């Protein structure tokens, strides 16, 4: 004989099965009717609505005045919360297992708000636009390229700006390469520069691809790639002296995917919490066109690596949902020099695990971009709150 209460039956169902909203409603209706007595059973082929189940629980209350306090507590909670469950509310397991205090009611309301909140949008692969014009001097066999401007470039520096310049190549001849001047601290640069590629007959040009690559100049390290665009010159009508606005996209070798993370800091407990939520469009590292991703995180304080954490491995998956949280104890006075190095790795049974892409979230110069620095800043400005950001993973 099965002595499980309705609450335990529901709990086991949730623990062992991924249930749909319809399944939840059916399970609740089945649990209430036979065991609570006096409740009207559902019609064949009809899943009980939230109102039906509430009526059943209410009927039990009137017919069994001598029920135990535990059953009454469970009944009260279910009666109060069924409507939210039927409409895709919070986790029923949590509701059934927790003590029913005013604080818990408040927490459940907060959970509902969090669940119904729109997730942040995955960043676009577009990284701005570039404006340029093309001409051809038939007498001098010279391609004339006018680099006019760019707009909506991403910020690559902690100042919230970039120092962009354009590198122009006639592929596949990489030796024919010209650079514009660097424009300081701007996301909407105007160059108005003219570049000349001499000694190219029209026949030769028809076998070339014009490659425009925008970089962020860095005085002390390697220049960062911002974005690029290509144009096949055999498709260009040079007699029209065309002018283009072209979308810039992240270079193919830099397309590592995106990672959704959350950050929160509680100054009362010195708890720093990093959530590794999900990844999208990860770079395929294996010959089967997939990867076996996991996340490795290092907490840095100053120049020291303090603590390492790892997530579980997802086999053959370019869009894993990790849903893991790592907690660190970090005193307030160390926040300024702290950094979280987050690496998405490809697990390999035989060889060495390979890096898919990485970010470093920090308020200092170690941050791998303006968005990573902003994420840390937003965390500090909203204590105890979880702040979510999508980040574009960077190559090594």
């Amino acid at each position: 004989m099965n002595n499980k209460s309705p609450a335990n039956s529901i709990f086991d169902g949730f623990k062992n099965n991924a249930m749909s909203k319809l399944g939840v409603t059916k399970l609740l209706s089945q649990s209430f009717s036979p065991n609570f007595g006096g409740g009207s059973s559902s019609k064949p082929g009809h899943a009980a609505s939230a109102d039906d189940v509430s009526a059943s629980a209410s009927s039990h209350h009137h017919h069994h005045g001598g029920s135990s306090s535990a059953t009454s507590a469970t009944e009260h909670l279910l009666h109060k919360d069924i409507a939210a469950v039927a409409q895709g509310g919070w986790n029923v397991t949590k509701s059934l297992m927790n003590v029913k205090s005013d604080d818990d009611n408040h927490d459940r309301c907060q959970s509902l708000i969090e669940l119904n909140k729109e997730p942040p949008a995955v960043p676009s692969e577009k990284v701005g636009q570039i404006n340029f014009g093309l001409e051809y001097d038939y007498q001098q066999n010279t391609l004339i390229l006018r680099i006019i401007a760019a707009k909506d470039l991403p910020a690559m520096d902690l100042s919230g700006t970039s120092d962009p310049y354009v590198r122009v190549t006639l592929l596949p001849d990489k030796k024919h390469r010209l650079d514009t001047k660097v424009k300081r601290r701007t996301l909407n640069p105007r160059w108005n520069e003219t570049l000349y590629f001499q000694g190219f007959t029209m026949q030769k040009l028809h076998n070339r691809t014009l490659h425009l690559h925008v970089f962020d100049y860095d005085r002390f390290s390697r220049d960062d790639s911002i974005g690029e665009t290509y144009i096949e010159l055999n498709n260009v009508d040079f007699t029209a002296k065309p002018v283009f606005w072209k979308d810039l996209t992240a270079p193919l070798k830099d397309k590592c995917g995106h990672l959704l993370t959350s950050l929160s800091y509680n100054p009362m407990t010195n708890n720093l919490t990093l959530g590794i939520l999900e990844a999208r469009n990860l770079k395929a590292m294996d010959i089967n066109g997939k990867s076996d991703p996991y996340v490795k995180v290092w907490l840095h304080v100053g120049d020291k690596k303090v603590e390492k954490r790892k997530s579980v491995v997802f086999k053959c998956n370019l869009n894993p949902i990790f849903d893991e949280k790592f907690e660190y104890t970090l005193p307030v006075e160390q926040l300024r020099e702290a950094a979280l190095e987050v690496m998405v790795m490809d697990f390999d049974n035989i060889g060495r695990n390979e890096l898919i892409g990485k970010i470093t979230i920090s308020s200092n110069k170690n941050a791998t971009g303006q968005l990573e620095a902003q994420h840390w800043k937003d965390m500090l400005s909203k204590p105890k709150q979880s702040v979510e950001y999508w980040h574009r993973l960077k190559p090594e």
Side-chain angles (χ1 to χ4, degrees):
M1 181 178 175
N2 186 359
N3 294 321
K4 286 187 177 181
S5 69
N8 288 334
S9 299
I10 296 171
F11 174 67
D12 289 343
F14 267 80
K15 188 167 63 175
N16 299 321
N17 299 289
M19 304 184 67
S20 64
K21 294 178 187 177
L22 182 59
V24 173
T25 313
K26 284 182 177 178
L27 177 60
L28 289 171
S29 65
Q30 291 165 5
S31 299
F32 275 107
S33 299
N35 296 301
F36 280 6
S40 58
S41 61
S42 298
K43 296 174 185 177
H46 170 69
S49 67
D51 291 335
D52 294 333
V53 182
S54 297
S56 179
S58 178
S59 176
H60 163 72
H61 177 72
H62 290 303
H63 283 73
H64 296 269
S67 60
S68 69
S69 59
T71 307
S72 297
T74 303
E75 172 199 0
H76 173 71
L77 176 64
L78 290 171
H79 176 73
K80 184 176 180 182
D81 292 342
I82 293 308
V85 172
Q87 295 168 11
W90 64 86
N91 189 313
V92 171
T93 306
K94 178 181 177 182
S95 297
L96 288 170
M97 299 304 292
N98 282 354
V99 179
K100 299 78 175 173
S101 67
D102 289 341
D103 287 343
D104 287 334
N105 289 336
H106 174 74
D107 289 343
R108 289 199 298 272
C109 290
Q110 286 300 111
S111 299
L112 269 177
I113 293 168
E114 289 297 316
L115 282 170
N116 290 325
K117 187 175 66 175
E118 282 292 318
V122 182
S124 167
E125 286 291 344
K126 292 179 183 178
V127 284
Q129 292 184 310
I130 188 166
N131 183 207
F132 61 96
L134 288 173
E135 296 181 37
Y136 186 74
D137 186 332
Y138 289 88
Q139 292 184 337
Q140 301 295 325
N141 288 337
T142 298
L143 173 66
I144 303 169
L145 168 64
R146 191 159 59 97
I147 304 291
I148 303 168
K151 66 179 182 179
D152 301 329
L153 299 180
M156 306 297 285
D157 303 330
L158 290 178
S159 61
T161 62
S162 294
D163 301 317
Y165 69 91
V166 185
R167 175 163 293 166
V168 184
T169 314
L170 282 181
L171 300 175
D173 307 325
K174 293 189 177 180
K175 61 183 179 181
H176 295 102
R177 190 172 77 184
L178 297 172
D179 290 356
T180 67
K181 294 176 181 177
V182 176
K183 293 296 178 180
R184 299 283 182 179
R185 297 185 178 182
T186 177
L187 302 181
N188 300 284
R190 293 195 65 83
W191 288 283
N192 285 321
E193 286 189 47
T194 303
L195 307 177
Y196 300 90
F197 291 88
Q198 297 176 328
F200 281 86
T201 64
M202 186 57 70
Q203 183 180 1
K204 197 174 179 181
L205 274 184
H206 280 173
N207 295 317
R208 298 294 182 273
T209 298
L210 181 66
H211 178 216
L212 304 178
H213 195 161
V214 182
F215 285 92
D216 171 54
Y217 172 77
D218 197 315
R219 186 175 177 182
F220 300 106
S221 63
R222 190 178 68 176
D223 296 344
D224 294 319
S225 170
I226 293 179
E228 63 185 352
T229 190
Y230 297 84
I231 185 166
E232 303 288 342
L233 293 179
N234 63 340
N235 295 328
V236 176
D237 178 8
F238 288 100
T239 60
K241 299 181 179 181
V243 176
F244 302 90
W245 273 106
K246 288 280 190 179
D247 288 333
L248 294 167
T249 58
L252 190 60
K253 64 182 178 62
D254 289 350
K255 290 183 180 178
C256 305
H258 291 88
L259 183 68
L260 179 61
T261 64
S262 66
L263 279 180
S264 66
Y265 184 74
N266 188 336
M268 304 298 292
T269 60
N270 292 336
N271 262 17
L272 171 66
T273 304
L274 169 68
I276 304 297
L277 305 180
E278 64 175 295
R280 296 264 183 92
N281 305 317
L282 292 179
K283 186 176 182 179
M285 306 295 285
D286 302 332
I287 55 174
N288 62 0
K290 298 288 185 180
S291 293
D292 302 320
Y294 70 95
V295 178
K296 180 168 70 174
V297 182
W298 270 106
L299 170 65
H300 296 249
V301 178
D303 296 329
K304 291 183 179 179
K305 288 184 173 181
V306 177
E307 194 172 346
K308 182 175 74 173
R309 301 288 185 86
K310 287 183 181 181
S311 76
V312 297
V313 176
F314 281 75
K315 292 289 186 179
C316 299
N317 197 329
L318 299 181
N319 300 283
I321 298 177
F322 295 101
D323 202 19
E324 292 196 39
K325 289 191 176 180
F326 303 135
E327 288 195 359
Y328 306 89
T329 300
L330 191 69
V332 174
E333 56 270 20
Q334 292 184 354
L335 283 174
R336 187 181 295 275
E337 54 178 344
L340 287 167
E341 184 184 17
V342 184
M343 294 165 280
V344 180
M345 308 291 295
D346 175 49
F347 177 79
D348 200 318
N349 276 318
I350 302 170
R352 185 178 165 196
N353 297 340
E354 293 181 281
L355 177 73
I356 297 175
K358 63 183 284 188
I359 54 169
T360 300
I361 309 174
S362 173
S363 64
N364 58 40
K365 59 180 173 50
N366 293 324
T368 46
Q370 192 267 340
L371 202 63
E372 287 85 329
Q374 187 64 43
H375 195 178
W376 190 273
K377 183 179 176 182
D378 284 356
M379 172 194 74
L380 296 179
S381 67
K382 300 173 182 177
K384 300 184 183 179
Q385 294 185 42
S386 182
V387 182
E388 294 182 3
Y389 266 68
W390 277 103
H391 294 283
R392 182 158 66 90
L393 294 167
K394 274 86 171 177
E396 186 64 78

PDB file of all heavy atoms in Angstrom, residues 1 21 49 59-60 73 91 95 104 120 170 192 200 202 205 209 235-236 245 248 277 283 351 355 358 384 392:
ATOM      1  N   MET A   1       0.858  -1.212   0.000  1.00  0.00           N
ATOM      2  CA  MET A   1       0.000   0.000   0.000  1.00  0.00           C
ATOM      3  C   MET A   1       0.885   1.249   0.000  1.00  0.00           C
ATOM      4  O   MET A   1       1.883   1.327   0.706  1.00  0.00           O
ATOM      5  CB  MET A   1      -0.887  -0.003   1.249  1.00  0.00           C
ATOM      6  CG  MET A   1      -1.821   1.210   1.321  1.00  0.00           C
ATOM      7  SD  MET A   1      -2.876   1.099   2.775  1.00  0.00           S
ATOM      8  CE  MET A   1      -3.706   2.655   2.677  1.00  0.00           C
ATOM      9  N   LYS A  21       3.787  21.762 -18.379  1.00  0.00           N
ATOM     10  CA  LYS A  21       2.723  22.417 -17.608  1.00  0.00           C
ATOM     11  C   LYS A  21       1.474  21.552 -17.566  1.00  0.00           C
ATOM     12  O   LYS A  21       0.798  21.457 -16.547  1.00  0.00           O
ATOM     13  CB  LYS A  21       2.390  23.776 -18.231  1.00  0.00           C
ATOM     14  CG  LYS A  21       3.520  24.776 -18.135  1.00  0.00           C
ATOM     15  CD  LYS A  21       3.129  26.057 -18.817  1.00  0.00           C
ATOM     16  CE  LYS A  21       4.302  27.020 -18.875  1.00  0.00           C
ATOM     17  NZ  LYS A  21       3.974  28.244 -19.593  1.00  0.00           N
ATOM     18  N   SER A  49      -8.244  22.385 -14.178  1.00  0.00           N
ATOM     19  CA  SER A  49      -7.677  23.736 -14.184  1.00  0.00           C
ATOM     20  C   SER A  49      -7.255  24.113 -12.776  1.00  0.00           C
ATOM     21  O   SER A  49      -7.497  23.388 -11.822  1.00  0.00           O
ATOM     22  CB  SER A  49      -8.723  24.737 -14.675  1.00  0.00           C
ATOM     23  OG  SER A  49      -9.769  24.816 -13.720  1.00  0.00           O
ATOM     24  N   SER A  59     -12.738  21.742  -0.743  1.00  0.00           N
ATOM     25  CA  SER A  59     -13.723  20.753  -0.333  1.00  0.00           C
ATOM     26  C   SER A  59     -13.151  19.845   0.750  1.00  0.00           C
ATOM     27  O   SER A  59     -13.822  19.505   1.710  1.00  0.00           O
ATOM     28  CB  SER A  59     -14.123  19.916  -1.555  1.00  0.00           C
ATOM     29  OG  SER A  59     -14.994  18.889  -1.188  1.00  0.00           O
ATOM     30  N   HIS A  60     -11.883  19.468   0.602  1.00  0.00           N
ATOM     31  CA  HIS A  60     -11.238  18.637   1.619  1.00  0.00           C
ATOM     32  C   HIS A  60     -11.227  19.359   2.968  1.00  0.00           C
ATOM     33  O   HIS A  60     -11.476  18.762   3.994  1.00  0.00           O
ATOM     34  CB  HIS A  60      -9.794  18.327   1.174  1.00  0.00           C
ATOM     35  CG  HIS A  60      -8.930  17.850   2.304  1.00  0.00           C
ATOM     36  ND1 HIS A  60      -9.075  16.599   2.869  1.00  0.00           N
ATOM     37  CD2 HIS A  60      -7.913  18.464   2.979  1.00  0.00           C
ATOM     38  CE1 HIS A  60      -8.202  16.453   3.837  1.00  0.00           C
ATOM     39  NE2 HIS A  60      -7.482  17.577   3.930  1.00  0.00           N
ATOM     40  N   ALA A  73      -1.039  22.329   6.390  1.00  0.00           N
ATOM     41  CA  ALA A  73      -0.025  23.265   5.883  1.00  0.00           C
ATOM     42  C   ALA A  73       0.229  23.019   4.409  1.00  0.00           C
ATOM     43  O   ALA A  73       0.303  23.954   3.609  1.00  0.00           O
ATOM     44  CB  ALA A  73       1.279  23.105   6.686  1.00  0.00           C
ATOM     45  N   ASN A  91       9.296  26.765  -9.172  1.00  0.00           N
ATOM     46  CA  ASN A  91       9.519  25.346  -8.957  1.00  0.00           C
ATOM     47  C   ASN A  91       8.632  24.834  -7.817  1.00  0.00           C
ATOM     48  O   ASN A  91       8.732  25.287  -6.699  1.00  0.00           O
ATOM     49  CB  ASN A  91      11.003  25.171  -8.593  1.00  0.00           C
ATOM     50  CG  ASN A  91      11.392  23.720  -8.553  1.00  0.00           C
ATOM     51  OD1 ASN A  91      10.702  22.896  -7.966  1.00  0.00           O
ATOM     52  ND2 ASN A  91      12.515  23.419  -9.182  1.00  0.00           N
ATOM     53  N   SER A  95       8.489  25.047  -3.427  1.00  0.00           N
ATOM     54  CA  SER A  95       7.318  25.511  -2.694  1.00  0.00           C
ATOM     55  C   SER A  95       6.863  24.483  -1.667  1.00  0.00           C
ATOM     56  O   SER A  95       6.468  24.823  -0.554  1.00  0.00           O
ATOM     57  CB  SER A  95       6.173  25.803  -3.667  1.00  0.00           C
ATOM     58  OG  SER A  95       6.519  26.828  -4.542  1.00  0.00           O
ATOM     59  N   ASP A 104       9.338  33.609   3.169  1.00  0.00           N
ATOM     60  CA  ASP A 104       9.305  32.685   2.038  1.00  0.00           C
ATOM     61  C   ASP A 104       8.337  33.154   0.971  1.00  0.00           C
ATOM     62  O   ASP A 104       8.581  33.006  -0.223  1.00  0.00           O
ATOM     63  CB  ASP A 104       8.897  31.280   2.504  1.00  0.00           C
ATOM     64  CG  ASP A 104      10.017  30.608   3.285  1.00  0.00           C
ATOM     65  OD1 ASP A 104      11.178  30.972   3.053  1.00  0.00           O
ATOM     66  OD2 ASP A 104       9.714  29.747   4.124  1.00  0.00           O
ATOM     67  N   PRO A 120      18.655  38.490 -21.190  1.00  0.00           N
ATOM     68  CA  PRO A 120      19.354  39.448 -22.033  1.00  0.00           C
ATOM     69  C   PRO A 120      19.586  38.885 -23.426  1.00  0.00           C
ATOM     70  O   PRO A 120      19.783  37.686 -23.584  1.00  0.00           O
ATOM     71  CB  PRO A 120      20.671  39.680 -21.294  1.00  0.00           C
ATOM     72  CG  PRO A 120      20.798  38.560 -20.326  1.00  0.00           C
ATOM     73  CD  PRO A 120      19.420  38.059 -20.030  1.00  0.00           C
ATOM     74  N   LEU A 170      44.699  43.576 -50.612  1.00  0.00           N
ATOM     75  CA  LEU A 170      44.131  42.999 -51.828  1.00  0.00           C
ATOM     76  C   LEU A 170      44.459  41.504 -51.824  1.00  0.00           C
ATOM     77  O   LEU A 170      45.571  41.098 -52.176  1.00  0.00           O
ATOM     78  CB  LEU A 170      44.717  43.664 -53.080  1.00  0.00           C
ATOM     79  CG  LEU A 170      44.159  45.044 -53.434  1.00  0.00           C
ATOM     80  CD1 LEU A 170      44.826  45.568 -54.707  1.00  0.00           C
ATOM     81  CD2 LEU A 170      42.649  44.992 -53.643  1.00  0.00           C
ATOM     82  N   ASN A 192      38.609  60.085 -44.129  1.00  0.00           N
ATOM     83  CA  ASN A 192      38.711  60.834 -45.382  1.00  0.00           C
ATOM     84  C   ASN A 192      40.118  60.730 -45.967  1.00  0.00           C
ATOM     85  O   ASN A 192      40.752  61.728 -46.334  1.00  0.00           O
ATOM     86  CB  ASN A 192      38.322  62.304 -45.178  1.00  0.00           C
ATOM     87  CG  ASN A 192      36.828  62.480 -45.046  1.00  0.00           C
ATOM     88  OD1 ASN A 192      36.053  61.818 -45.745  1.00  0.00           O
ATOM     89  ND2 ASN A 192      36.392  63.336 -44.136  1.00  0.00           N
ATOM     90  N   PHE A 200      47.955  47.628 -61.020  1.00  0.00           N
ATOM     91  CA  PHE A 200      46.934  46.577 -61.116  1.00  0.00           C
ATOM     92  C   PHE A 200      46.079  46.808 -62.362  1.00  0.00           C
ATOM     93  O   PHE A 200      45.303  47.777 -62.419  1.00  0.00           O
ATOM     94  CB  PHE A 200      46.046  46.569 -59.871  1.00  0.00           C
ATOM     95  CG  PHE A 200      46.660  45.892 -58.685  1.00  0.00           C
ATOM     96  CD1 PHE A 200      47.496  46.595 -57.829  1.00  0.00           C
ATOM     97  CD2 PHE A 200      46.434  44.544 -58.447  1.00  0.00           C
ATOM     98  CE1 PHE A 200      48.076  45.976 -56.748  1.00  0.00           C
ATOM     99  CE2 PHE A 200      47.009  43.914 -57.352  1.00  0.00           C
ATOM    100  CZ  PHE A 200      47.835  44.623 -56.499  1.00  0.00           C
ATOM    101  N   MET A 202      42.988  45.940 -64.926  1.00  0.00           N
ATOM    102  CA  MET A 202      41.607  45.569 -64.603  1.00  0.00           C
ATOM    103  C   MET A 202      41.450  44.050 -64.548  1.00  0.00           C
ATOM    104  O   MET A 202      40.742  43.514 -63.688  1.00  0.00           O
ATOM    105  CB  MET A 202      40.654  46.170 -65.638  1.00  0.00           C
ATOM    106  CG  MET A 202      39.189  45.959 -65.309  1.00  0.00           C
ATOM    107  SD  MET A 202      38.713  46.618 -63.685  1.00  0.00           S
ATOM    108  CE  MET A 202      38.823  48.378 -63.980  1.00  0.00           C
ATOM    109  N   LEU A 205      42.738  42.926 -61.258  1.00  0.00           N
ATOM    110  CA  LEU A 205      41.816  43.291 -60.172  1.00  0.00           C
ATOM    111  C   LEU A 205      40.633  42.344 -60.072  1.00  0.00           C
ATOM    112  O   LEU A 205      40.104  42.102 -58.985  1.00  0.00           O
ATOM    113  CB  LEU A 205      41.301  44.716 -60.364  1.00  0.00           C
ATOM    114  CG  LEU A 205      42.151  45.862 -59.822  1.00  0.00           C
ATOM    115  CD1 LEU A 205      41.426  47.173 -60.016  1.00  0.00           C
ATOM    116  CD2 LEU A 205      42.489  45.656 -58.355  1.00  0.00           C
ATOM    117  N   THR A 209      40.266  40.246 -54.070  1.00  0.00           N
ATOM    118  CA  THR A 209      39.213  40.574 -53.099  1.00  0.00           C
ATOM    119  C   THR A 209      39.742  41.672 -52.183  1.00  0.00           C
ATOM    120  O   THR A 209      40.826  41.541 -51.603  1.00  0.00           O
ATOM    121  CB  THR A 209      38.847  39.339 -52.244  1.00  0.00           C
ATOM    122  OG1 THR A 209      38.336  38.320 -53.098  1.00  0.00           O
ATOM    123  CG2 THR A 209      37.802  39.692 -51.198  1.00  0.00           C
ATOM    124  N   ASN A 235      32.910  42.236 -59.097  1.00  0.00           N
ATOM    125  CA  ASN A 235      31.492  42.623 -59.070  1.00  0.00           C
ATOM    126  C   ASN A 235      31.292  44.137 -59.023  1.00  0.00           C
ATOM    127  O   ASN A 235      30.162  44.604 -58.926  1.00  0.00           O
ATOM    128  CB  ASN A 235      30.807  42.006 -57.839  1.00  0.00           C
ATOM    129  CG  ASN A 235      30.762  40.488 -57.912  1.00  0.00           C
ATOM    130  OD1 ASN A 235      30.661  39.925 -59.004  1.00  0.00           O
ATOM    131  ND2 ASN A 235      30.871  39.832 -56.761  1.00  0.00           N
ATOM    132  N   VAL A 236      32.379  44.890 -59.069  1.00  0.00           N
ATOM    133  CA  VAL A 236      32.282  46.340 -58.898  1.00  0.00           C
ATOM    134  C   VAL A 236      32.261  47.038 -60.258  1.00  0.00           C
ATOM    135  O   VAL A 236      33.097  46.744 -61.134  1.00  0.00           O
ATOM    136  CB  VAL A 236      33.468  46.868 -58.057  1.00  0.00           C
ATOM    137  CG1 VAL A 236      33.426  48.389 -57.971  1.00  0.00           C
ATOM    138  CG2 VAL A 236      33.445  46.254 -56.662  1.00  0.00           C
ATOM    139  N   TRP A 245      28.391  51.528 -47.748  1.00  0.00           N
ATOM    140  CA  TRP A 245      28.351  51.322 -46.292  1.00  0.00           C
ATOM    141  C   TRP A 245      28.280  49.812 -46.102  1.00  0.00           C
ATOM    142  O   TRP A 245      27.323  49.171 -46.526  1.00  0.00           O
ATOM    143  CB  TRP A 245      27.123  51.967 -45.660  1.00  0.00           C
ATOM    144  CG  TRP A 245      27.278  53.403 -45.273  1.00  0.00           C
ATOM    145  CD1 TRP A 245      26.764  54.498 -45.889  1.00  0.00           C
ATOM    146  CD2 TRP A 245      28.007  53.896 -44.133  1.00  0.00           C
ATOM    147  NE1 TRP A 245      27.123  55.650 -45.243  1.00  0.00           N
ATOM    148  CE2 TRP A 245      27.883  55.316 -44.152  1.00  0.00           C
ATOM    149  CE3 TRP A 245      28.755  53.301 -43.121  1.00  0.00           C
ATOM    150  CZ2 TRP A 245      28.472  56.124 -43.183  1.00  0.00           C
ATOM    151  CZ3 TRP A 245      29.341  54.102 -42.158  1.00  0.00           C
ATOM    152  CH2 TRP A 245      29.203  55.500 -42.200  1.00  0.00           C
ATOM    153  N   LEU A 248      30.543  45.597 -40.584  1.00  0.00           N
ATOM    154  CA  LEU A 248      31.749  44.932 -40.097  1.00  0.00           C
ATOM    155  C   LEU A 248      31.341  43.739 -39.236  1.00  0.00           C
ATOM    156  O   LEU A 248      30.399  43.843 -38.447  1.00  0.00           O
ATOM    157  CB  LEU A 248      32.601  45.894 -39.259  1.00  0.00           C
ATOM    158  CG  LEU A 248      33.208  47.082 -40.007  1.00  0.00           C
ATOM    159  CD1 LEU A 248      33.739  48.110 -39.016  1.00  0.00           C
ATOM    160  CD2 LEU A 248      34.324  46.625 -40.945  1.00  0.00           C
ATOM    161  N   LEU A 277      25.834  30.559 -16.914  1.00  0.00           N
ATOM    162  CA  LEU A 277      24.459  30.180 -17.246  1.00  0.00           C
ATOM    163  C   LEU A 277      24.366  29.372 -18.538  1.00  0.00           C
ATOM    164  O   LEU A 277      23.918  28.233 -18.532  1.00  0.00           O
ATOM    165  CB  LEU A 277      23.588  31.438 -17.311  1.00  0.00           C
ATOM    166  CG  LEU A 277      23.639  32.300 -16.036  1.00  0.00           C
ATOM    167  CD1 LEU A 277      22.754  33.526 -16.177  1.00  0.00           C
ATOM    168  CD2 LEU A 277      23.240  31.493 -14.816  1.00  0.00           C
ATOM    169  N   LYS A 283      32.566  27.772 -30.906  1.00  0.00           N
ATOM    170  CA  LYS A 283      33.396  27.338 -32.023  1.00  0.00           C
ATOM    171  C   LYS A 283      33.553  25.823 -31.982  1.00  0.00           C
ATOM    172  O   LYS A 283      33.804  25.233 -30.931  1.00  0.00           O
ATOM    173  CB  LYS A 283      34.767  28.012 -31.908  1.00  0.00           C
ATOM    174  CG  LYS A 283      35.699  27.782 -33.086  1.00  0.00           C
ATOM    175  CD  LYS A 283      36.977  28.577 -32.882  1.00  0.00           C
ATOM    176  CE  LYS A 283      37.924  28.409 -34.050  1.00  0.00           C
ATOM    177  NZ  LYS A 283      39.164  29.203 -33.853  1.00  0.00           N
ATOM    178  N   GLY A 351      44.134  13.937 -26.013  1.00  0.00           N
ATOM    179  CA  GLY A 351      45.120  15.017 -26.019  1.00  0.00           C
ATOM    180  C   GLY A 351      44.859  16.052 -24.939  1.00  0.00           C
ATOM    181  O   GLY A 351      44.162  15.819 -23.951  1.00  0.00           O
ATOM    182  N   LEU A 355      41.493  25.604 -25.585  1.00  0.00           N
ATOM    183  CA  LEU A 355      40.695  26.795 -25.291  1.00  0.00           C
ATOM    184  C   LEU A 355      39.782  27.118 -26.468  1.00  0.00           C
ATOM    185  O   LEU A 355      40.235  27.215 -27.610  1.00  0.00           O
ATOM    186  CB  LEU A 355      41.610  27.987 -25.013  1.00  0.00           C
ATOM    187  CG  LEU A 355      40.909  29.326 -24.764  1.00  0.00           C
ATOM    188  CD1 LEU A 355      40.243  29.339 -23.392  1.00  0.00           C
ATOM    189  CD2 LEU A 355      41.888  30.490 -24.885  1.00  0.00           C
ATOM    190  N   LYS A 358      37.711  32.976 -24.207  1.00  0.00           N
ATOM    191  CA  LYS A 358      37.813  33.401 -22.812  1.00  0.00           C
ATOM    192  C   LYS A 358      37.412  34.860 -22.659  1.00  0.00           C
ATOM    193  O   LYS A 358      37.376  35.623 -23.627  1.00  0.00           O
ATOM    194  CB  LYS A 358      39.242  33.217 -22.302  1.00  0.00           C
ATOM    195  CG  LYS A 358      40.260  34.079 -23.031  1.00  0.00           C
ATOM    196  CD  LYS A 358      41.683  33.820 -22.564  1.00  0.00           C
ATOM    197  CE  LYS A 358      41.978  34.452 -21.242  1.00  0.00           C
ATOM    198  NZ  LYS A 358      43.402  34.381 -20.851  1.00  0.00           N
ATOM    199  N   LYS A 384      24.033  42.648  -3.702  1.00  0.00           N
ATOM    200  CA  LYS A 384      23.122  41.529  -3.437  1.00  0.00           C
ATOM    201  C   LYS A 384      22.249  41.159  -4.639  1.00  0.00           C
ATOM    202  O   LYS A 384      21.499  40.197  -4.580  1.00  0.00           O
ATOM    203  CB  LYS A 384      22.217  41.805  -2.228  1.00  0.00           C
ATOM    204  CG  LYS A 384      22.955  42.054  -0.927  1.00  0.00           C
ATOM    205  CD  LYS A 384      21.959  42.215   0.212  1.00  0.00           C
ATOM    206  CE  LYS A 384      22.642  42.537   1.523  1.00  0.00           C
ATOM    207  NZ  LYS A 384      21.677  42.710   2.618  1.00  0.00           N
ATOM    208  N   ARG A 392      30.997  38.287 -25.607  1.00  0.00           N
ATOM    209  CA  ARG A 392      31.596  37.615 -26.762  1.00  0.00           C
ATOM    210  C   ARG A 392      32.935  37.043 -26.337  1.00  0.00           C
ATOM    211  O   ARG A 392      33.804  37.759 -25.851  1.00  0.00           O
ATOM    212  CB  ARG A 392      31.780  38.595 -27.921  1.00  0.00           C
ATOM    213  CG  ARG A 392      32.358  37.939 -29.165  1.00  0.00           C
ATOM    214  CD  ARG A 392      32.032  38.735 -30.423  1.00  0.00           C
ATOM    215  NE  ARG A 392      32.680  40.032 -30.447  1.00  0.00           N
ATOM    216  CZ  ARG A 392      33.893  40.262 -30.977  1.00  0.00           C
ATOM    217  NH1 ARG A 392      34.576  39.260 -31.499  1.00  0.00           N
ATOM    218  NH2 ARG A 392      34.400  41.468 -30.998  1.00  0.00           N
TER     219      ARG A 392
END
